[in-house]
Amino acid sequence: MPIFARRPDRATTPEADSWQPAGVGGPAAGADPDAPPRLIGAVSDVGGSISPAGAPSPDVSGYAPAAQPVAAPPRAQDRAPSTTSSGVLLLLLAIAIAGVAVFTAFLGGNAPVVWALLGALALVLVVQLGIVVRAARERRRLARGIVIATLVVTLLVNPLTVGGVRGIVDPSGPFGLSGLSGLFGAPGGSEAGSSGSGGARDADIDPIWKGYPGSRFTPVKDVVDGADLATFAERSDAMLAELRAALTAEFGFEWIERQPAKTEKDGNGFGGDSMLNRYTAPVWQTTKALTDIGQKNRAVEIIRQVAQRYGIVNLSMQNAPAAWRQPGELTDQFGGETLETQALWSLNAYDAIAAGGRFSTDIVDLSIDATGKVEKNRYFAITSLGMAPDGIELHLDASALLAEADRAAFLAALKPFDGLTVPQ
């Protein structure tokens, strides 16, 4: 069946009815007689059929071509990925990182952590810029809106802006000028680092404190009202003499002075010299060790009794087993996990006789040093300080001691610091 329909407003003509396909009735004028015959117009370019020879041929100028097939729209999975979903994910990521930055900055986070978050936000910004360009090209309003919202969140809430606000509120904190300068390393080695007591960083402390005449670690009141240098030396010598006498009476010891008394200038804790002194009493040691645990316990009892008469009531046994100890810790330091197996017993007390005083006693018995760790730990004391491998040792020293002759000058030197709080 023909695929053309005649338009009713067109009429046929004799010329149209007598149309013949080329090559059917003979070669056309001027054509190559040797060329193979060709059927011109035999097949319609728009879907016509072959006309038999001698059949009337339609006037194609009056016919409409058949409709061409319409291509199906691309499937959803074949479409380019939407910018909207990527933007939403990055918006949520930017909000999450910004929230962590705020939490870290205001609730005690350290600067390196916040700078790491800043790096993450920078990466988010780079990706966002690419999505902005893509969204602009695709003319997707929703995608562009999400990306712009993400950029606003990232630019307004990030470690730099949050840290800057905190630095204004708390200039001495880690986001103040000095705190951020310390992030990249401050000159001066340990002097520019932490104070070691959990207090202010040395880099944050006003240089005026380098000339402080007192001690960073001992209050002025304790220095002025407490034992002076001469008093401490006198009382420490008396206490050590009483200890030696009491222990000798119990165990028949002989004693050797391993190190003489020593007085030296004390630092102020800020990198400068104070007007105070450090005193180290003579170090005494017995010529023999106690090996019986009962005798060791008796020696500890005698030492406590004498120390209490000199106001030392906080004498603690460092080697005592306790639940908070890590497994193997006592063995590493004292040679065993129980008193029976420990080659070293150590008693210690602070604020002994003076605010900056420290008293310690070591009871060493290397005969039960099964691991050899105690003797190894004592290598320096034996080789450099002249101590015997074992025995009972008595140590007493103090810092921040004011010499009576320097009292007036010391009080005068404190005047520039009146009303100031000593950094800790």
Side-chain angles (χ1 to χ4, degrees), residues 192-215:
S194 172
S195 66
S197 59
R201 290 169 49 88
D202 289 347
D204 302 336
I205 296 174
D206 194 308
I208 188 178
W209 292 101
K210 189 173 183 179
Y212 185 58
S215 171

mmCIF file of all heavy atoms in Angstrom, residues 192-215:
data_model
loop_
_atom_site.group_PDB
_atom_site.id
_atom_site.type_symbol
_atom_site.label_atom_id
_atom_site.label_comp_id
_atom_site.label_asym_id
_atom_site.label_seq_id
_atom_site.Cartn_x
_atom_site.Cartn_y
_atom_site.Cartn_z
ATOM 1 N N ALA A 192 60.838 28.300 76.704
ATOM 2 C CA ALA A 192 59.647 28.805 76.039
ATOM 3 C C ALA A 192 58.517 27.798 76.065
ATOM 4 O O ALA A 192 57.463 28.025 75.529
ATOM 5 C CB ALA A 192 59.966 29.169 74.593
ATOM 6 N N GLY A 193 58.707 26.693 76.695
ATOM 7 C CA GLY A 193 57.703 25.645 76.740
ATOM 8 C C GLY A 193 56.857 25.730 77.984
ATOM 9 O O GLY A 193 56.704 26.785 78.587
ATOM 10 N N SER A 194 56.356 24.583 78.355
ATOM 11 C CA SER A 194 55.507 24.525 79.536
ATOM 12 C C SER A 194 56.332 24.742 80.794
ATOM 13 O O SER A 194 57.522 24.448 80.843
ATOM 14 C CB SER A 194 54.810 23.161 79.595
ATOM 15 O OG SER A 194 54.137 23.015 80.800
ATOM 16 N N SER A 195 55.695 25.260 81.810
ATOM 17 C CA SER A 195 56.387 25.509 83.065
ATOM 18 C C SER A 195 56.724 24.219 83.783
ATOM 19 O O SER A 195 57.531 24.214 84.702
ATOM 20 C CB SER A 195 55.494 26.365 83.972
ATOM 21 O OG SER A 195 54.347 25.639 84.340
ATOM 22 N N GLY A 196 56.114 23.106 83.365
ATOM 23 C CA GLY A 196 56.379 21.817 83.997
ATOM 24 C C GLY A 196 55.491 21.560 85.205
ATOM 25 O O GLY A 196 55.503 20.482 85.764
ATOM 26 N N SER A 197 54.720 22.541 85.623
ATOM 27 C CA SER A 197 53.855 22.357 86.784
ATOM 28 C C SER A 197 52.387 22.440 86.398
ATOM 29 O O SER A 197 51.527 22.575 87.235
ATOM 30 C CB SER A 197 54.167 23.431 87.845
ATOM 31 O OG SER A 197 53.963 24.718 87.307
ATOM 32 N N GLY A 198 52.118 22.378 85.092
ATOM 33 C CA GLY A 198 50.746 22.436 84.628
ATOM 34 C C GLY A 198 50.200 23.839 84.617
ATOM 35 O O GLY A 198 49.013 24.038 84.444
ATOM 36 N N GLY A 199 51.040 24.876 84.797
ATOM 37 C CA GLY A 199 50.594 26.249 84.826
ATOM 38 C C GLY A 199 50.810 26.943 83.503
ATOM 39 O O GLY A 199 50.760 26.343 82.442
ATOM 40 N N ALA A 200 51.051 28.259 83.573
ATOM 41 C CA ALA A 200 51.206 29.053 82.370
ATOM 42 C C ALA A 200 52.478 28.689 81.631
ATOM 43 O O ALA A 200 53.474 28.294 82.218
ATOM 44 C CB ALA A 200 51.224 30.545 82.741
ATOM 45 N N ARG A 201 52.423 28.830 80.302
ATOM 46 C CA ARG A 201 53.613 28.628 79.497
ATOM 47 C C ARG A 201 54.586 29.771 79.729
ATOM 48 O O ARG A 201 54.187 30.919 79.899
ATOM 49 C CB ARG A 201 53.241 28.562 78.019
ATOM 50 C CG ARG A 201 52.480 27.323 77.611
ATOM 51 C CD ARG A 201 51.929 27.483 76.212
ATOM 52 N NE ARG A 201 52.960 27.943 75.290
ATOM 53 C CZ ARG A 201 53.773 27.115 74.619
ATOM 54 N NH1 ARG A 201 53.645 25.815 74.780
ATOM 55 N NH2 ARG A 201 54.683 27.580 73.798
ATOM 56 N N ASP A 202 55.883 29.449 79.721
ATOM 57 C CA ASP A 202 56.876 30.486 79.931
ATOM 58 C C ASP A 202 56.791 31.567 78.856
ATOM 59 O O ASP A 202 57.086 32.725 79.109
ATOM 60 C CB ASP A 202 58.281 29.867 79.938
ATOM 61 C CG ASP A 202 58.525 29.028 81.190
ATOM 62 O OD1 ASP A 202 57.723 29.143 82.124
ATOM 63 O OD2 ASP A 202 59.501 28.261 81.217
ATOM 64 N N ALA A 203 56.393 31.156 77.625
ATOM 65 C CA ALA A 203 56.298 32.129 76.543
ATOM 66 C C ALA A 203 55.196 33.152 76.793
ATOM 67 O O ALA A 203 55.223 34.244 76.227
ATOM 68 C CB ALA A 203 56.051 31.408 75.215
ATOM 69 N N ASP A 204 54.222 32.812 77.647
ATOM 70 C CA ASP A 204 53.104 33.712 77.925
ATOM 71 C C ASP A 204 53.372 34.650 79.102
ATOM 72 O O ASP A 204 52.556 35.514 79.391
ATOM 73 C CB ASP A 204 51.845 32.895 78.236
ATOM 74 C CG ASP A 204 51.473 31.971 77.090
ATOM 75 O OD1 ASP A 204 51.865 32.274 75.950
ATOM 76 O OD2 ASP A 204 50.795 30.960 77.340
ATOM 77 N N ILE A 205 54.503 34.458 79.786
ATOM 78 C CA ILE A 205 54.765 35.200 81.015
ATOM 79 C C ILE A 205 55.523 36.495 80.705
ATOM 80 O O ILE A 205 56.462 36.499 79.901
ATOM 81 C CB ILE A 205 55.573 34.326 82.000
ATOM 82 C CG1 ILE A 205 54.726 33.106 82.403
ATOM 83 C CG2 ILE A 205 55.985 35.111 83.231
ATOM 84 C CD1 ILE A 205 55.471 32.111 83.253
ATOM 85 N N ASP A 206 55.097 37.568 81.347
ATOM 86 C CA ASP A 206 55.753 38.862 81.164
ATOM 87 C C ASP A 206 57.224 38.766 81.562
ATOM 88 O O ASP A 206 57.554 38.205 82.607
ATOM 89 C CB ASP A 206 55.040 39.901 82.047
ATOM 90 C CG ASP A 206 55.423 41.322 81.673
ATOM 91 O OD1 ASP A 206 56.634 41.601 81.615
ATOM 92 O OD2 ASP A 206 54.512 42.135 81.456
ATOM 93 N N PRO A 207 58.129 39.298 80.748
ATOM 94 C CA PRO A 207 59.567 39.234 81.071
ATOM 95 C C PRO A 207 59.943 39.879 82.390
ATOM 96 O O PRO A 207 61.037 39.623 82.909
ATOM 97 C CB PRO A 207 60.209 39.981 79.895
ATOM 98 C CG PRO A 207 59.226 39.872 78.775
ATOM 99 C CD PRO A 207 57.874 39.895 79.430
ATOM 100 N N ILE A 208 59.039 40.679 82.955
ATOM 101 C CA ILE A 208 59.353 41.318 84.234
ATOM 102 C C ILE A 208 59.640 40.285 85.318
ATOM 103 O O ILE A 208 60.431 40.527 86.244
ATOM 104 C CB ILE A 208 58.191 42.246 84.672
ATOM 105 C CG1 ILE A 208 58.573 43.066 85.905
ATOM 106 C CG2 ILE A 208 56.955 41.419 84.965
ATOM 107 C CD1 ILE A 208 57.504 44.034 86.350
ATOM 108 N N TRP A 209 59.041 39.084 85.177
ATOM 109 C CA TRP A 209 59.191 38.069 86.216
ATOM 110 C C TRP A 209 60.570 37.442 86.229
ATOM 111 O O TRP A 209 60.923 36.757 87.189
ATOM 112 C CB TRP A 209 58.116 37.009 86.067
ATOM 113 C CG TRP A 209 56.752 37.550 86.375
ATOM 114 C CD1 TRP A 209 55.795 37.938 85.490
ATOM 115 C CD2 TRP A 209 56.219 37.812 87.671
ATOM 116 N NE1 TRP A 209 54.688 38.418 86.139
ATOM 117 C CE2 TRP A 209 54.929 38.350 87.497
ATOM 118 C CE3 TRP A 209 56.700 37.645 88.977
ATOM 119 C CZ2 TRP A 209 54.118 38.713 88.560
ATOM 120 C CZ3 TRP A 209 55.892 38.005 90.037
ATOM 121 C CH2 TRP A 209 54.617 38.533 89.831
ATOM 122 N N LYS A 210 61.343 37.652 85.189
ATOM 123 C CA LYS A 210 62.700 37.116 85.212
ATOM 124 C C LYS A 210 63.530 37.771 86.305
ATOM 125 O O LYS A 210 64.495 37.192 86.821
ATOM 126 C CB LYS A 210 63.366 37.311 83.847
ATOM 127 C CG LYS A 210 64.707 36.598 83.719
ATOM 128 C CD LYS A 210 65.239 36.669 82.306
ATOM 129 C CE LYS A 210 66.541 35.885 82.187
ATOM 130 N NZ LYS A 210 67.092 35.900 80.804
ATOM 131 N N GLY A 211 63.159 38.961 86.684
ATOM 132 C CA GLY A 211 63.861 39.656 87.755
ATOM 133 C C GLY A 211 63.202 39.512 89.113
ATOM 134 O O GLY A 211 63.553 40.249 90.064
ATOM 135 N N TYR A 212 62.262 38.588 89.239
ATOM 136 C CA TYR A 212 61.555 38.383 90.499
ATOM 137 C C TYR A 212 62.532 37.889 91.573
ATOM 138 O O TYR A 212 63.264 36.909 91.344
ATOM 139 C CB TYR A 212 60.441 37.368 90.295
ATOM 140 C CG TYR A 212 59.550 37.139 91.478
ATOM 141 C CD1 TYR A 212 58.840 38.186 92.068
ATOM 142 C CD2 TYR A 212 59.385 35.858 92.011
ATOM 143 C CE1 TYR A 212 58.004 37.961 93.152
ATOM 144 C CE2 TYR A 212 58.552 35.622 93.091
ATOM 145 C CZ TYR A 212 57.865 36.691 93.652
ATOM 146 O OH TYR A 212 57.033 36.467 94.729
ATOM 147 N N PRO A 213 62.564 38.512 92.756
ATOM 148 C CA PRO A 213 63.538 38.116 93.782
ATOM 149 C C PRO A 213 63.136 36.872 94.569
ATOM 150 O O PRO A 213 63.969 36.289 95.275
ATOM 151 C CB PRO A 213 63.585 39.332 94.706
ATOM 152 C CG PRO A 213 62.221 39.942 94.598
ATOM 153 C CD PRO A 213 61.804 39.719 93.167
ATOM 154 N N GLY A 214 61.851 36.468 94.464
ATOM 155 C CA GLY A 214 61.378 35.315 95.220
ATOM 156 C C GLY A 214 61.382 34.046 94.390
ATOM 157 O O GLY A 214 62.112 33.908 93.410
ATOM 158 N N SER A 215 60.522 33.107 94.784
ATOM 159 C CA SER A 215 60.437 31.821 94.110
ATOM 160 C C SER A 215 59.064 31.640 93.488
ATOM 161 O O SER A 215 58.043 31.971 94.102
ATOM 162 C CB SER A 215 60.694 30.672 95.098
ATOM 163 O OG SER A 215 60.425 29.423 94.503
#
